[in-house]
Amino acid sequence: MIDKIYDWVDDRLDITPIWRDIADHEVPEHVNPAYHFSAFVYCFGGLTFFITVIQVLSGMFLTMYYVPDIVNAWKSVYYLQHDVAAGVIVRGMHHWGASLVVVMMFLHTLRVFFTGSYKQPRELNWVVGVLIFFVMLGLSFTGYLLPWDMKALFATKVGLQIAESVPIIGPWVKTLLAGDAEIVGAQTLTRFFAIHVFFLPAALFALLAAHFIMIRKQGISGPL
């Protein structure tokens, strides 16, 4: 059945050359665990991407029930966890995945650094990777407030105070994140939701596309 569907699509769009260009390429021996045990460290990037996909899919599910206002935010999370089928599992995946993806990205960054994979001709890809890291940290920070409980509220206040202490641009960053209000309130929650669901994911998808295109063009870096 799948072969027939593929043949039907391929007959009209000629997707086989595109698929072969993406999938059919040699993988260096040093990233094959069958030849080198150290090859496992080259899996950190793929694992990070896998967790990112889980975060996107689970986040899409959560937005179907989440209400981004200070009256219903916590209630919608409570409803999701206690009344929606498998809601607690999906939210748990998203919650723990948010921490795990940062850990895996940190390990991936260490591998790239200590194997010298940021050097010529991959300097630009290193910059893109660092930007992806900052976007992930932004997603973690903005997503922390959304359950609208006391822990999230006070943690966000501390985060906004840290942002405000940045020289020159600090007050502007705080206003951008929290709005004009001096307190963490409805405007803050709305802005964090918009940044978490729309702006940062758009930046993440663009950076990931650039990251993968450069990896495809330049190949996987060699060992140290």
Side-chain angles (χ1 to χ4, degrees):
M1 182 64 180
I2 296 177
D3 291 338
K4 291 182 179 179
I5 295 175
Y6 179 86
D7 292 338
W8 187 89
V9 175
D10 184 51
D11 185 53
R12 287 153 180 79
L13 301 178
D14 194 24
I15 62 174
T16 296
I18 301 174
W19 172 248
R20 286 178 177 172
D21 182 64
I22 295 173
D24 292 351
H25 61 278
E26 288 189 15
V27 176
E29 185 177 291
H30 65 273
V31 301
N32 188 341
Y35 293 93
H36 299 279
F37 179 77
S38 61
F40 285 105
V41 299
Y42 285 87
C43 298
F44 292 152
L47 290 173
T48 303
F49 177 69
F50 176 72
I51 300 170
T52 301
V53 172
I54 293 177
Q55 290 299 98
V56 172
L57 296 177
S58 60
M60 291 170 63
F61 177 84
L62 296 180
T63 55
M64 296 174 65
Y65 296 93
Y66 181 73
V67 182
D69 67 66
I70 59 175
V71 176
N72 297 300
W74 186 85
K75 294 179 181 178
S76 63
V77 174
Y78 183 89
Y79 173 78
L80 173 70
Q81 287 209 165
H82 294 85
D83 297 320
V84 177
V88 65
I89 297 176
V90 177
R91 194 203 168 205
M93 292 171 61
H94 197 76
H95 173 79
W96 294 107
S99 299
L100 186 58
V101 72
V102 173
V103 172
M104 293 306 305
M105 183 164 288
F106 180 70
L107 293 175
H108 178 56
T109 303
L110 288 180
R111 197 280 300 168
V112 172
F113 179 78
F114 284 112
T115 58
S117 301
Y118 59 89
K119 298 179 181 179
Q120 186 180 359
R122 299 179 175 84
E123 305 95 330
L124 182 58
N125 211 6
W126 166 260
V127 173
V128 171
V130 172
L131 291 176
I132 293 175
F133 202 164
F134 282 119
V135 169
M136 283 295 188
L137 293 177
L139 285 166
S140 297
F141 176 63
T142 54
Y144 202 84
L145 178 65
L146 301 186
W148 198 246
D149 54 15
M150 295 303 296
K151 182 173 68 172
L153 183 65
F154 285 108
T156 301
K157 287 182 178 180
V158 174
L160 291 174
Q161 290 173 357
I162 295 174
E164 190 177 20
S165 66
V166 175
I168 303 176
I169 64 172
W172 180 82
V173 172
K174 181 178 181 294
T175 302
L176 176 66
L177 293 174
D180 295 328
E182 292 297 325
I183 62 173
V184 177
Q187 194 174 34
T188 310
L189 180 62
T190 302
R191 291 196 176 202
F192 270 54
F193 177 76
I195 293 171
H196 186 76
V197 174
F198 298 110
F199 293 97
L200 289 180
L204 178 64
F205 293 151
L207 290 170
L208 283 175
H211 194 59
F212 288 134
I213 289 173
M214 283 186 278
I215 291 174
R216 185 67 182 85
K217 292 291 184 180
Q218 298 166 348
I220 301 175
S221 60
L224 182 66

